[in-house]
Amino acid sequence: MSPKPPERLALETIPTAVGDALIVTDQAGVLRAFNWVEYEPMLRRQLAAHYGELPSAAGGVPAHVRRAFEAYFAGDLQALETLPWATGGTAFQRAVWAALRTIPAGGTVSYAGLAARIGRPAAMRAVGLANGRNPISVMLPCHRVIGAAGDLTGYGGGLARKRWLLRHEGAAFKDAA
């Protein structure tokens, strides 16, 4: 989705099966970020880089956004599909992040496959970097990007979480652990 700078942000922590997570929405209830609480300093730096310094407050995330994430972690893999979202970032990053939304729950794609989806088949490294800067983890499912041979590759939230998310969704992948 096209970025429209928010006026303020609301932040809320929710428990999940793989650790506490932080949800960030704007004044209109549009999802702007989701990450694990131990990465909050990085998330705040990323938000500032995308939108500048904005007023933010704990709480105030709309109940339907919080419930959608709770439902996803409880097993409703389609629960996040209708949430409105927006990101900052470059046009290339936003293209990569939008392409992540085309990977269905239970599916995976390689970095080469993701690069092909955005019409830039030679841009695998750039796609990997953009994937790693995804501000809305889980909703923009960067965990569904795996190695070309089907093996787990890096994930900002850690490989244990990536493994859990992929198993939760019923995805096929090679697991060395």
Side-chain angles (χ1 to χ4, degrees):
M1 296 185 151
S2 301
K4 181 178 185 249
E7 296 170 15
R8 65 183 181 282
L9 299 172
L11 300 87
E12 193 162 321
T13 302
I14 64 164
T16 78
V18 286
D20 290 345
L22 186 64
I23 299 172
V24 180
T25 59
D26 65 18
Q27 69 282 351
V30 174
L31 184 64
R32 295 290 180 151
F34 178 95
N35 209 332
W36 311 102
V37 293
E38 63 266 29
Y39 301 110
E40 183 175 349
M42 179 187 70
L43 179 135
R44 287 183 178 274
R45 284 191 304 274
Q46 190 175 40
L47 289 169
H50 287 202
Y51 309 119
E53 294 298 326
L54 294 173
S56 62
V61 168
H64 75 279
V65 174
R66 187 177 52 260
R67 282 193 307 266
F69 277 98
E70 290 167 348
Y72 168 83
F73 283 101
D76 180 356
L77 302 180
Q78 307 308 310
L80 304 175
E81 294 299 317
T82 60
L83 287 180
W85 59 278
T87 62
T90 66
F92 180 81
Q93 288 172 328
R94 289 191 312 272
V96 171
W97 300 333
L100 290 171
R101 292 290 302 143
T102 69
I103 309 167
T108 59
V109 68
S110 67
Y111 290 97
L114 190 57
R117 284 183 188 214
I118 64 166
R120 304 275 305 272
M124 291 177 290
R125 284 184 186 260
V127 162
L129 290 172
N131 192 52
R133 291 190 176 115
N134 171 14
I136 311 177
S137 177
V138 179
M139 166 116 179
L140 304 182
C142 52
H143 61 278
R144 296 178 189 156
V145 181
I146 62 175
D151 51 324
L152 289 183
T153 56
Y155 176 65
L159 285 182
R161 279 194 181 112
K162 182 172 188 162
R163 183 178 295 110
W164 188 93
L165 290 165
L166 291 172
R167 285 183 178 153
H168 177 64
E169 295 177 352
F173 61 95
K174 291 181 185 173
D175 191 4

